Each structure stands twice: as structure tokens, then as C-alpha cells.
Amino acid sequence: MARRRGVMSEQFKYELAKDLGFYETVQREGWGGITTRDAGNMVKRAIQLAEESLAKQNPTK
């Protein structure tokens, strides 16, 4: 199975890690050092930000 290229930029992932409070772990241990919960929260936050951005671009009438 072909591996998909990441959708989030590295910079965006680092910003999310800072916002969610595990940036220091990423710096020390890399992305493999974060918990599954932190990874899930990062994805949830990215989806939330994307939905907010789309809502601003396409306001309902």
C-alpha cells in the first residue's frame, strides 16, 4: 500500500503542539514521543480550525 504524504505542514504541526502543550516533548523526543491522546487532540484541533476557516470563507445565508 502506498504511503500518503502528510497533509499538515511541519510548521502547522509545531504550532498545534505549542497550543496543546506538548511542544517540549516533540522537541525532546520527536513526534514518536507524544501520546496517542495528544496526536488525536492535534488532529481534532486541526479539523476544528479547518472547519472554522471554511465557515468564514462560505458564510451561510
Side-chain angles (χ1 to χ4, degrees), residues 22 25-26 29-43:
F22 55 87
T25 302
V26 174
E29 304 174 31
W31 290 107
I34 66 171
T35 65
T36 304
R37 176 174 280 165
D38 287 338
N41 287 337
M42 189 170 74
V43 171

Side-chain angles (χ1 to χ4, degrees), residues 3-13 16 42-43 46-47 50:
R3 194 166 179 186
R4 292 187 81 184
R5 185 190 300 182
V7 177
M8 290 190 274
S9 71
E10 285 297 308
Q11 180 180 354
F12 184 55
K13 289 193 289 188
L16 290 172
M42 189 170 74
V43 171
I47 292 169

Side-chain angles (χ1 to χ4, degrees), residues 36-54:
T36 304
R37 176 174 280 165
D38 287 338
N41 287 337
M42 189 170 74
V43 171
K44 286 179 191 177
R45 182 68 177 136
I47 292 169
Q48 181 184 30
L49 291 171
E51 288 174 341
E52 290 172 3
S53 178
L54 284 173

